[in-house]
Amino acid sequence: MPASRFSGPSGGWRRAVFGIVAALFLAGAATAADVDPLVEAGRRIYVDGILPDGTPLKAIRFDGVSTAAGAEAACVNCHRPSGYGSIEGRILVPPVAGAVLFAPGVFAPAAGGRPAPVRAIERFRTRSAYDEQKLQRALREGIDPDGKPLQPLMARYDLDASAVKALAAYLRWLSAGPAPGVAGETLHLGTVITPDVPPQQREALLEVLRAYAAMRKWQLHVWQLTGAPREWDAQLDEHYRRQPVFALLSGAGAAEWQPVHRFCERHAVACVLPSVELAPDAGRDSHSLYFSSGLSLEAQLLAHELAAGAPPPRELFQVVEDDSGERAARLLERALEQAGSRIAMRRLTSRQYAGMAPLPAQSAMVWWLRPEQIAGLIAAAPGVPPSMQLYLSALLAPPEELVIPDGWKRSLRYVSVYDPLSALRTQASLRPWLKRQGIPETNLRLRADAYAACYFFNNAVTAMQLQAARGISGPLGRERLIETLENELTLFRDDSAPYYWQLGSGPGQHLLVKGGMLLRHAGPGDAEWEACTARIVP
């Protein structure tokens, strides 16, 4: 189908389609190839940019001169995996899924009637239905079913009748049926908890999810993982075999989340905003949506601060105790090396640090530790020199959970993707809801994450249902869910956001928080924090 921009080869979208094939197979539904070889031939045009004879799809861009071919010219680049298009700024890419394309626009006039007034870019809402001949004319000449020119950004494709027939067959199949996990008006949703999540955090998350699900027609399935990460792939597949789910909603994990991420890619299941300490590399067209990259972003923020210091420290001591700390320390070392830093770096355990002689001048420390570890180390350590900077991870050790002696506060800095002002706004809006649900006001940051995941997911599902009711989309689909979440979060402005700095998304963006800053105590005896850097976006 026509494309208004070309974003390059999209191997991830190809993997996504094969993931859909696997998911439909496990759910007992037919795949594109199972339905008809013609549908599979159309899929190759739409997703891969390959014609039925094996040659690359070719497109002439709107300027009439430049061209694109193969994956770069594939329809999916603009019309998205769901076939329901996108909005980027003022550019609207119309839907091409068969349920919309081969039906009259929702405001199309009856015979002899007058069309409703709409903007030119929304003409698909008033046009008459396409058929294969009209689709071929649109592709080759840029003319819609009513003889009117399509938008200038649409490319031209010289497809013969057999290729158009295959493409039309795929578009009729695309997003045509309900996704696995959708049973009438009930949505089956999973949430994954890894074994390294403490019981109190597990319950804090589940209390919010269960309360929110009770207000909607959601059936929540808790997938509690056990054992080592190498065993999780099989456990996730077995959970899914027993009950296919429409999406994974929220969830919690520490340093390891990669098996869950792989599961979502393998089965084309959306994972909506889990609370994890280190998010895997989502890529442009992942099925997982994360608040941030977690410790990876904190490491980048700290590397920026250390490398830009005047002067930067000569030595950096990193204190770690668990896998999350080890990974964060390695990420910081890598980020400093990439920045060309000459800071000497050394990794220590808490015991090694507590037994050290006074640290060298012009050195700095990073404690990738949790609150109880920090409390023990402060009690055992001789103190911190006033001239030394000590950095803490706000992700591993939320400042509100720490009790810091006044003598340490002057040297302390928190590396944070969280925003104290957003935290106050979130607490003001979240606490009344928790009270109505009878949920204690503990673990507020984790509860805020879970609430935000439910809030955004519900908004996206509601938008999809409204569009289906208005005849401008088909049934609930997984690809459509991701795309709708991206669109919803692009426009999001709301004080009910969780504790993070400004959220933002868009097509292909799967990390909502891209920056943060360093915080410090407002005063020696003060429990409040203030920013000590501008917002940093690495």
Side-chain angles (χ1 to χ4, degrees):
M1 279 302 297
S4 59
R5 61 177 174 83
F6 299 100
S7 55
S10 184
W13 268 317
R14 291 193 288 276
R15 290 191 299 273
V17 170
F18 288 119
I20 294 171
V21 168
L24 290 171
F25 176 79
L26 286 172
T31 68
D34 291 335
V35 172
D36 189 335
L38 189 66
V39 175
E40 171 60 16
R43 185 202 66 78
R44 295 189 70 204
I45 297 172
Y46 187 89
V47 177
D48 300 327
I50 302 297
L51 294 171
D53 63 4
T55 60
L57 175 68
K58 295 180 181 179
I60 300 175
R61 303 189 191 193
F62 61 90
D63 59 10
V65 177
S66 54
T67 61
E72 190 180 28
C75 319
V76 74
N77 290 325
C78 292
H79 294 283
R80 311 301 304 277
S82 69
Y84 281 103
S86 65
I87 299 175
E88 296 188 38
R90 296 184 178 182
I91 300 174
L92 184 148
V93 180
V96 294
V100 176
L101 189 71
F102 298 113
V106 291
F107 300 122
R114 299 181 62 183
V118 297
R119 295 180 299 168
I121 62 171
E122 296 181 322
R123 188 175 294 146
F124 76 93
R125 299 180 189 275
T126 62
R127 57 151 177 80
S128 57
Y130 277 92
D131 56 25
E132 290 180 16
Q133 290 72 33
K134 292 176 180 177
L135 176 59
Q136 184 176 24
R137 183 176 69 168
L139 293 167
R140 299 179 70 167
E141 302 175 27
I143 302 296
D144 78 1
D146 303 313
K148 297 177 181 178
L150 297 174
Q151 288 301 298
L153 290 178
M154 182 186 122
R156 304 291 182 264
Y157 298 82
D158 188 12
L159 298 185
D160 62 23
S162 63
V164 172
K165 186 176 183 66
L167 180 59
Y170 177 70
L171 295 177
R172 290 189 176 97
W173 179 87
L174 182 63
S175 300
V182 180
E185 295 184 353
T186 300
L187 290 183
H188 289 273
L189 305 174
T191 193
V192 175
I193 312 290
T194 62
D196 47 10
V197 175
Q200 66 272 23
Q201 293 184 13
R202 176 186 187 275
E203 291 309 308
L205 181 106
L206 292 180
E207 284 173 346
V208 172
L209 295 181
R210 285 167 174 156
Y212 210 108
M215 301 189 304
R216 305 291 185 267
K217 293 181 179 179
W218 300 350
Q219 182 66 48
L220 186 68
H221 304 272
V222 180
W223 293 358
Q224 176 67 61
L225 303 180
T226 60
R230 65 178 178 274
E231 302 170 359
W232 297 354
D233 289 88
Q235 293 176 36
L236 290 164
D237 286 342
E238 177 60 18
H239 280 300
Y240 188 75
R241 186 192 66 78
R242 292 179 179 178
Q243 176 57 65
V245 294
F246 177 60
L248 296 183
L249 179 62
S250 185
E256 186 59 76
W257 193 255
Q258 188 67 46
V260 186
H261 187 89
R262 283 198 303 267
F263 165 83
C264 293
E265 297 309 297
R266 189 163 63 248
H267 296 286
V269 174
C271 184
V272 183
L273 299 173
S275 295
V276 295
E277 292 175 355
L278 184 60
D281 182 8
R284 174 175 169 79
D285 40 14
S286 166
H287 285 82
S288 295
L289 190 67
Y290 298 102
F291 286 113
S292 78
S293 59
L295 292 170
S296 177
L297 178 55
E298 284 191 340
Q300 294 174 59
L301 296 173
L302 185 51
H304 180 279
E305 176 67 11
L306 291 170
R314 292 180 179 175
E315 291 186 82
L316 178 67
F317 297 88
Q318 299 195 81
V319 181
V320 301
E321 285 294 334
D322 57 21
D323 286 345
S324 290
E326 283 283 352
R327 293 192 182 193
R330 290 198 299 268
L331 287 166
L332 176 57
E333 291 164 3
R334 188 184 310 154
L336 285 169
E337 289 170 359
Q338 291 173 346
S341 171
R342 297 184 178 180
I343 301 173
M345 291 173 279
R346 182 179 174 188
R347 230 178 287 168
L348 307 168
T349 64
S350 297
R351 179 175 296 182
Q352 289 171 328
Y353 165 70
M356 283 184 63
L359 296 177
Q362 292 186 303
S363 60
M365 286 188 297
V366 187
W367 290 0
W368 298 107
L369 302 174
R370 302 181 190 279
E372 62 276 9
Q373 296 166 339
I374 290 172
L377 190 53
I378 287 177
V384 59
S387 60
M388 175 176 286
Q389 288 295 296
L390 170 59
Y391 300 95
L392 300 182
S393 160
L395 181 62
L396 297 179
E400 65 269 19
E401 297 181 15
L402 297 176
V403 178
I404 303 295
D406 287 348
W408 289 69
K409 289 182 178 177
R410 180 179 299 176
S411 301
L412 200 60
R413 299 290 184 268
Y414 298 93
V415 187
S416 181
V417 299
Y418 301 101
D419 174 9
L421 293 179
S422 293
L424 293 175
R425 291 195 299 267
T426 298
Q427 291 172 19
S429 61
L430 180 60
R431 282 182 165 133
W433 184 85
L434 294 174
K435 185 176 182 179
R436 290 194 299 272
Q437 305 301 321
I439 298 175
E441 293 183 12
T442 56
N443 287 290
L444 281 178
R445 193 176 68 180
L446 187 60
R447 294 192 195 278
D449 277 3
Y451 182 87
C454 293
Y455 176 84
F456 294 135
F457 176 80
N458 183 62
N459 281 0
V461 169
T462 300
M464 294 164 67
Q465 290 170 333
L466 288 173
Q467 290 169 349
R470 293 167 56 195
I472 57 176
S473 74
L476 295 180
R478 289 166 168 177
E479 300 291 350
R480 182 64 172 153
L481 171 63
I482 290 290
E483 295 162 13
T484 304
L485 280 166
E486 292 171 355
N487 291 337
E488 292 286 316
L489 288 162
T490 300
L491 305 174
F492 176 73
R493 298 289 184 274
D494 197 301
D495 286 345
S496 66
Y499 283 25
Y500 305 91
W501 299 102
Q502 182 179 359
L503 304 182
S505 185
Q509 297 181 27
H510 291 262
L511 299 173
L512 303 191
V513 180
K514 282 87 171 175
M517 62 177 63
L518 272 67
L519 307 175
R520 65 187 173 197
H521 287 273
D526 204 327
E528 299 300 321
W529 309 278
E530 63 183 12
C532 56
T533 67
R535 185 166 184 263
I536 302 168
V537 180

